[in-house]
Amino acid sequence: MSNRSSNLVISSLFISAFLIMAFIISFIFFNHAIAAPDDGQMPPKPPISKMSLELDVTADQLQMCMEEGKPASPGDKPNKAAMLTCLQNANPAITQDKLEEVMKENMPKPKDKPQQ
């Protein structure tokens, strides 16, 4: 093998290795950017244990009833009637007013949507 072809092979290998490393690095950073959760988009979770104490039900009962009243699609309001009925099965003393008060006090407020 001549010196010129040897240099050509070495430079081709160097370029190939460089391109492979660039691909791997960009793939890692791209995956990280996609997979990393954006804290600004995730709504805060309600304080279930505090709310359950205020309603005099267990945290599991409250969680189950919140699932019952979960909105059908994002952006819809929760079905408070279904939630109230479920909660009243656990504690008949819960009223609509009490549920509204606890939810208003403890549920996270939706963040203002950016204007476009």
Side-chain angles (χ1 to χ4, degrees):
M1 194 186 245
S2 73
N3 193 22
R4 185 169 185 237
S5 64
S6 175
N7 286 341
L8 185 61
V9 169
I10 291 173
S11 17
S12 295
L13 288 174
F14 178 74
I15 291 171
S16 297
F18 177 77
L19 291 174
I20 289 170
M21 289 302 296
F23 174 76
I24 290 171
I25 291 171
S26 64
F27 180 77
I28 290 170
F29 283 115
F30 182 71
N31 266 354
H32 178 70
I34 289 175
D38 184 6
D39 292 336
Q41 291 181 348
M42 297 298 293
K45 295 186 179 191
I48 299 294
S49 57
K50 180 177 183 267
M51 292 171 65
S52 66
L53 287 174
E54 291 176 14
L55 293 170
D56 196 25
V57 296
T58 67
D60 290 338
Q61 289 169 328
L62 178 58
Q63 188 69 43
M64 181 183 70
C65 292
M66 288 179 82
E67 286 295 319
E68 290 271 329
K70 196 174 196 175
S73 61
D76 289 349
K77 293 189 178 207
N79 184 345
K80 291 181 184 174
M83 191 184 306
L84 178 62
T85 301
C86 178
L87 286 168
Q88 285 176 332
N89 288 333
N91 178 2
I94 297 173
T95 64
Q96 177 71 32
D97 292 337
K98 180 65 175 174
L99 178 60
E100 290 287 334
E101 174 189 327
V102 170
M103 288 185 69
K104 183 177 181 183
E105 182 180 312
N106 294 292
M107 292 300 285
K109 310 294 184 264
K111 292 186 177 189
D112 294 332
K113 293 185 179 181
Q115 295 179 353
Q116 294 180 357

